Amino acid sequence: MKPFALDPDMTSATGTFYPTGYVFALFPGDEAYRKAADALAEQGFTDVSHAAPDAIHQHVVRTLGHADTPLPSVGAEGVIVRRIADMAAQGHHGLLIKARDEDGPESLQAALEPLGATAAFFYRRLIIEDLIPQPAS
C-alpha cells in the first residue's frame, strides 16, 4: 500500500476530486483501514493508496476550492467531497482502490462492505456509484 497522492487525472474538468476508475472507501479509524487494506491485497487488489484524515483534507477537500461561488453546488462530485470531508473530520481514513477490469458496483460492494467501509464511492465515467448504503436518518 502506498500513500495517497492527488494526481491531476483524479479531478473533473472543474477541478473537483473525481478519480475515474477508482473507488474511494472510508474506514472508521487506523485499525479498520489497515485490516481492510490487508484483506483487499489478499483479494488481488494491487493498486491501493492510503489517505489519512489530514491528507483527505489537504488534497481531496481542497479540490472544492471556490466551486460554490456563485452557485451552491458543483454536482454530485461536490456533494460527495463534502461527505468525505465530514467523515475525515470524524477520523475516518480513506483507501483509494483501482478497480480491476472485472470489477463492477456489485462486486466492489461485496468486497468492501464486509470489511467495515462506512462509505465507498466508485468513480466511473459520468457516474459515481455510492456502494455502501447509508442508514436512514
Side-chain angles (χ1 to χ4, degrees), residues 4-88:
F4 174 78
L6 183 67
D7 182 293
D9 291 337
M10 294 179 182
T11 60
S12 67
T14 61
T16 306
F17 184 66
Y18 199 109
T20 304
Y22 288 82
V23 173
F24 194 78
L26 291 126
F27 296 87
D30 194 58
E31 186 177 339
Y33 97 79
R34 288 180 190 278
K35 286 182 179 179
D38 290 343
L40 289 166
E42 289 174 12
Q43 293 177 38
F45 289 92
T46 58
D47 189 347
V48 179
S49 301
H50 169 244
D54 60 331
I56 292 171
H57 284 288
Q58 183 179 4
H59 299 290
V60 175
V61 177
R62 79 161 177 80
T63 67
L64 280 175
H66 299 288
D68 289 338
T69 308
L71 302 174
S73 175
V74 296
E77 63 265 26
V79 171
I80 290 172
V81 169
R82 286 180 194 85
R83 282 181 59 195
I84 291 169
D86 290 344
M87 296 179 91

Side-chain angles (χ1 to χ4, degrees), residues 98-121:
K98 175 75 172 152
R100 303 165 298 190
D101 290 341
E102 66 271 17
D103 289 322
E106 297 83 12
S107 67
L108 291 165
Q109 179 182 14
L112 291 166
E113 200 166 25
L115 301 178
T118 52
F121 308 102

